[in-house]
Amino acid sequence: EIVLTQSPGTLSLSPGERATLSCRASQSVSSSYLAWYQHKPGQAPRLLIYGASSRATGIPDRFSGSGSGTDFTLIISRLEPEDFAVYYCQQYGSSLWTFGQGTKVEIK
Amino acid sequence: QVQLQESGPGLVQPSQTLSLTCTVSGGSISSRNYYWSWIRQHPGKGLGWIGSIYYSGSTYYNPSLKSRVNISQDTSKSQFSLKLSSVTAADTAVYYCARGSLLEDYAFDIWGQGTKVTVSS
C-alpha cells in the first residue's frame, strides 16, 4: 500500500501570497494517478487536480499541479480569501486508493 | 448534472452494522467509466478510502477494513450501499459517497455532502 506524506502540516499565509504544498509517496505512483482536493468544513471535498497536473472542470488557473514518480506539488499562485482550507493529495494504484493526511492553509 | 446523496441512520449501536445508501441522480451507475466509492473522515482527521464498486459488480476494499465491509449496488434504483459490521466508537465519522472517474485518472470528481454517523449506546 502506497503511503502519501504531505508537508507542511499547516501553511500560514496572507491573501495574495503563493502557496506551495508537497505530497511525497512511499513508492512510485502509477501513471501519475495523483489528485489534489480542497476541503472546507461542512462541505464535500472538491477535486482540483487529477493526473498530477490537469485541472478539473471549473478550477481557476491559479491552481497548478506538477510532479511524477514519488514527488508531487500543488501550487496556488495567489491566494484568494476562499482558498483557505485543507488540501489533500490522493493516489490510485493496484485497485486501491489512498489519501495524504492533509495540509491546512490558514490565514496569517 | 450528476448528484450523489447519502442516507442512513446517524446513530449506530456498538457491535451492530452500519448501513448507508448513496443515491445517484442525473446519471447511471452502469457506466464503465466510474467506480462508486465510500470515503470517511474521522473527527478532526483526514480522509480515508473505505471501498469502491465497479459497474460490473467488482468490489475493492481498504485492506484495513476488508473483513468488515461490504459494498453493493442496485442499478435499477441508481443506488449503491455500504455495510460496515461490528462497529465501534472508532467508526464514528462523516461518511461520503463519491464517484471515482477513469476519465479523471481515478480521481473522485463528484461527492455527496456527507452524512455524520455516531457509534454509541
Side-chain angles (χ1 to χ4, degrees), chain B residues 45-120:
Chain B
K45 302 295 184 183
L47 300 170
W49 173 69
I50 298 171
S52 301
I53 187 166
Y54 193 42
Y55 84 103
S56 61
S58 295
T59 51
Y60 309 88
Y61 299 133
N62 186 320
S64 68
L65 296 170
K66 190 172 184 177
S67 64
R68 298 196 292 130
V69 174
N70 182 266
I71 296 176
S72 60
Q73 61 185 3
D74 185 336
T75 55
S76 67
K77 295 181 179 179
S78 283
Q79 293 178 334
F80 62 103
S81 298
L82 168 70
K83 290 188 185 300
L84 181 65
S85 64
S86 304
V87 298
T88 69
D91 295 307
T92 293
V94 175
Y95 287 76
Y96 295 96
C97 58
R99 187 178 80 171
S101 173
L102 274 68
L103 305 177
E104 276 87 12
D105 292 327
Y106 296 89
F108 299 110
D109 65 336
I110 298 177
W111 296 64
Q113 282 300 305
T115 187
K116 183 178 180 180
V117 178
T118 300
V119 178
S120 175

Side-chain angles (χ1 to χ4, degrees), chain A residues 1 31-35 37 39 42-47 49-52 54 57 88 90 92 95-101, chain B residues 35 37 39 41 45-49 51-52 60-64 96 100 103-109 111-114:
Chain A
E1 179 181 331
S31 304
S32 293
Y33 290 149
L34 192 287
Y37 301 84
H39 195 197
Q43 297 185 19
R46 176 191 182 196
L47 176 64
I49 301 288
Y50 65 91
S54 298
T57 303
Y88 295 95
Q90 166 257 311
Y92 168 84
S95 302
L96 299 175
W97 286 258
T98 55
F99 289 89
Q101 83 280 18
Chain B
Y35 287 80
S37 306
I39 294 154
Q41 182 178 33
K45 302 295 184 183
L47 300 170
W49 173 69
S52 301
Y60 309 88
Y61 299 133
N62 186 320
S64 68
Y96 295 96
L103 305 177
E104 276 87 12
D105 292 327
Y106 296 89
F108 299 110
D109 65 336
W111 296 64
Q113 282 300 305

